[in-house]
Amino acid sequence: MSRPYEDNPENSHEGEAENVSGAEAQVIPLHGPGREKPDPAAQADRDLRESDEAQERLDQERRVDAPVVEFPGAARVAPARTRPADTELLPASLRTALGFLRDRLTGDYTVDEFGFDAELTETLLLPPLRALYEKWFRVDTFGVENLPTDGGALLVSNHSGTLPLDALMTAVAVHDHVPGGRHLRGLGADLVFQVPLVGSFARKSGQTLACNADAERLLRKGELVGVWPEGFKGIGKPFSSRYKLQRFGRGGFVSAALRTGVPIIPVSVIGAEEIYPKLGEIKLLARVLGLPYFPVTPFFPLLGPLGAVPLPTKWSIEFGEPIRTDTYDADAVDDPMLVFTLTDQVRESIQQSLYKRLSQRKSVFKG
């Protein structure tokens, strides 16, 4: 039997097409142009790149949307001064102490021409004095509005207490109650600066010698200067003479105020007279030790070091109305009568304030 289509393949395809319901079917080669079989290695590499790109887009979206959380360990990378939030977890007192130690080790602190070290004063000296001020003596202050917030002024105060704690408490009152934390630059006697340790701390806390030259330099710089004209006569007077002002000298402090034109502010302190009630003194021992007096109190020297603990009396410090000096002529400082009159005016103002406060006090220990 003859097979007419075996010798012609094309005729064979046409016959198959005619056998499918009479419809002509188009045959598309499996691996025709554009439909080559993909290379498995190339396809895998392409899929990997697409997966990496998709993951990177997803990570970017997450970084934009997610909140930034800084890990504690990251704070150590940057210096402390450029990252203040790093130390917020530490107590304020510890941060201050660490900053003080850092400045001491690096030498990053300043001392003025008189030896005053403000950072050391505020970090080491004021805190224990403030504890005495607030907890032991429970000081009440009056007339703080009479203290200037800027510019110079001369504060003149009564002096008492066997040891000059009244000067230290007045310095705390000025620093803590005047806006800006101003420092009281006290004028001290020569003896203060001759005692090895005491003299060094006195300089660093802002004290200087009680002489007109230093007082005028400080006042011209706009400082608050404190002076206690009674001197050792005031703090060393017997208990029977308490709150009776001693002589104010020749008015050197008035001359300094007149030359610089700053106001004089009378200051009266109640409570210091009773912290070490002085019953007498040992003059021979005072001469041997080079002291102006060696006190005898109800507890010292009988109780030894315990006798040096001050009694917890209730204090008050009053800053009186300023006495102006800028209204006088430049040559007024050469008028001895004017100097004497102003000196007596300041002294009388302090004495009257003491009497007034004493009349209102009900108890030495309760105020």
Side-chain angles (χ1 to χ4, degrees):
M1 180 179 295
S2 63
R3 298 180 179 178
Y5 300 102
E6 289 180 354
D7 299 331
N8 190 347
E10 295 178 1
N11 292 337
S12 175
H13 291 300
E14 290 175 358
E16 292 177 2
E18 292 175 354
N19 292 334
V20 182
S21 302
E24 184 177 357
Q26 184 178 3
V27 178
I28 300 175
L30 181 62
H31 301 294
R35 298 183 60 85
E36 294 84 355
K37 185 177 181 180
D39 183 14
Q43 181 65 33
D45 184 62
R46 186 164 53 253
D47 292 344
L48 181 61
R49 286 199 304 271
E50 292 176 356
S51 176
D52 291 342
E53 291 174 359
Q55 183 64 35
E56 184 176 355
R57 286 195 299 271
L58 181 60
D59 291 343
Q60 289 178 352
E61 293 175 359
R62 288 176 177 174
R63 284 195 293 269
V64 172
D65 297 337
V68 178
V69 179
E70 183 175 348
F71 290 94
R76 301 189 184 96
V77 177
R81 291 190 175 183
T82 60
R83 304 288 293 276
D86 298 341
T87 58
E88 289 182 355
L89 296 179
L90 299 176
S93 58
L94 182 56
R95 292 201 304 269
T96 302
L98 291 176
F100 174 76
L101 290 176
R102 180 194 61 226
D103 293 342
R104 295 293 125 173
L105 293 174
T106 60
D108 186 16
Y109 62 94
T110 58
V111 177
D112 73 1
E113 58 182 312
F114 296 93
F116 174 47
D117 188 335
E119 185 183 35
L120 182 141
T121 299
E122 295 181 359
T123 305
L124 292 185
L125 303 182
L126 278 178
L129 293 178
R130 187 175 292 115
L132 277 177
Y133 180 94
E134 296 176 350
K135 305 299 182 182
W136 194 255
F137 296 132
R138 298 148 292 142
V139 182
D140 291 329
T141 56
F142 304 92
V144 178
E145 65 277 3
N146 292 323
L147 296 172
T149 56
D150 55 56
L154 185 65
L155 280 63
V156 183
S157 177
N158 63 307
H159 215 12
S160 60
T162 304
L163 291 179
L165 293 181
D166 52 356
L168 300 177
M169 295 300 103
T170 304
V172 175
V174 170
H175 181 272
D176 288 359
H177 293 287
V178 177
R182 303 195 67 183
H183 292 277
L184 181 64
R185 310 297 296 272
L187 303 179
D190 296 354
L191 179 62
V192 174
F193 303 95
Q194 293 171 1
V195 180
L197 189 60
V198 174
S200 176
F201 276 108
R203 282 287 185 187
K204 292 182 182 297
S205 65
Q207 319 306 310
T208 189
L209 288 172
C211 64
N212 275 19
D214 283 358
E216 291 174 21
R217 286 165 62 195
L218 287 168
L219 291 171
R220 288 194 175 96
K221 289 176 60 177
E223 300 284 357
L224 296 179
V225 178
V227 61
W228 293 263
E230 293 179 279
F232 290 119
K233 299 189 303 294
I235 58 175
K237 63 178 176 286
F239 187 67
S240 58
S241 300
R242 59 192 180 278
Y243 299 113
K244 295 178 182 178
L245 293 182
Q246 305 298 300
R247 185 171 172 269
F248 268 21
R250 291 173 292 182
F253 66 91
V254 171
S255 299
L258 286 171
R259 287 193 179 94
T260 55
V262 301
I264 301 175
I265 301 178
V267 182
S268 57
V269 180
I270 295 288
E273 293 276 16
E274 295 89 1
I275 59 173
Y276 299 113
K278 183 185 172 186
L279 305 179
E281 58 181 286
I282 306 175
K283 295 183 179 180
L284 178 59
L285 190 55
R287 285 197 297 269
V288 171
L289 297 176
L291 301 175
Y293 56 86
F294 189 91
V296 176
T297 73
F299 308 104
F300 183 83
L302 181 62
L303 298 182
L306 289 177
V309 177
L311 295 177
T313 58
K314 183 73 168 66
W315 285 35
S316 68
I317 299 178
E318 181 173 5
F319 301 99
E321 294 185 5
I323 299 174
R324 296 182 58 181
T325 63
D326 58 347
T327 57
Y328 296 97
D329 298 332
D331 57 351
V333 68
D334 299 323
D335 184 352
M337 280 303 299
L338 175 62
V339 173
F340 175 81
T341 300
L342 287 176
T343 302
D344 191 61
Q345 180 182 352
V346 174
R347 184 180 183 277
E348 186 64 20
S349 175
I350 297 173
Q351 186 67 80
Q352 292 304 318
S353 178
L354 291 174
Y355 287 152
K356 177 183 176 181
R357 289 292 168 189
L358 286 171
S359 66
Q360 298 173 353
R361 186 171 70 164
K362 298 179 181 180
S363 169
V364 171
F365 299 100
K366 294 183 180 180

